[in-house]
Amino acid sequence: MSNDIQVTFDEKVNRAASVSGSRLSMLKVNYIKEILDGIITVINYKFEPVTVVIKIQLHGQLSNFSLKPKIDAVKSGPVIANAMHDLRWEVQVDPQQTLDIKYSRTFNRRQQKLNYTSFI
């Protein structure tokens, strides 16, 4: 069995862009705002062009797409810390080529409460 098409997904926290002290409080829950840089990579190992449909669900505020998604269905509400995006791309990848889709995502991460009694 061979892998003719490979799709990978990776995200990393952008420490330089994330604002220290940027916080959100909602319904007595505290969140820390983080900025993530994401990349979806499609590699075509075939000797012919292929069309690849990519579906992914991401939470947060999305921006800076290197390739705009064909569909971006957003679900949010007044008490939701991170909107949910159902994304879909249909991409043509030439033979023996790699296609990268890059984006940024601002995500409200729930702040953990420290239990100091566990350190004693």
Side-chain angles (χ1 to χ4, degrees):
M1 185 171 107
S2 67
N3 292 329
D4 294 332
I5 309 295
Q6 181 181 4
V7 180
T8 60
F9 170 80
D10 189 34
E11 285 189 329
K12 292 186 177 19
V13 175
N14 184 332
R15 300 273 181 224
S18 292
V19 179
S20 178
S22 182
R23 302 196 188 301
L24 168 71
S25 185
M26 184 181 297
L27 299 175
K28 298 183 180 181
V29 178
N30 294 320
Y31 297 88
I32 298 172
K33 202 171 283 241
E34 290 186 335
I35 297 175
L36 305 166
D37 292 328
I39 186 167
I40 302 166
T41 302
V42 182
I43 303 172
N44 179 7
Y45 293 105
K46 290 185 172 189
F47 292 101
E48 60 191 47
V50 296
T51 300
V52 178
V53 176
I54 301 165
K55 295 179 183 179
I56 191 168
Q57 193 174 76
L58 295 173
H59 295 265
Q61 181 181 359
L62 304 174
S63 61
N64 301 329
F65 286 107
S66 63
L67 179 65
K68 186 177 177 184
K70 185 173 185 177
I71 296 173
D72 182 1
V74 181
K75 299 172 188 167
S76 66
V79 292
I80 296 176
N82 294 294
M84 184 176 67
H85 295 258
D86 287 323
L87 302 164
R88 179 181 168 153
W89 288 268
E90 290 182 24
V91 295
Q92 178 86 18
V93 185
D94 291 330
Q96 304 288 298
Q97 296 296 310
T98 299
L99 173 74
D100 289 329
I101 302 172
K102 297 178 182 179
Y103 63 89
S104 292
R105 178 164 74 105
T106 303
F107 181 77
N108 295 308
R109 180 176 52 84
R110 190 177 192 144
Q111 187 174 8
Q112 299 295 320
K113 292 183 179 180
L114 293 177
N115 182 356
Y116 292 106
T117 57
S118 64
F119 296 111
I120 299 175

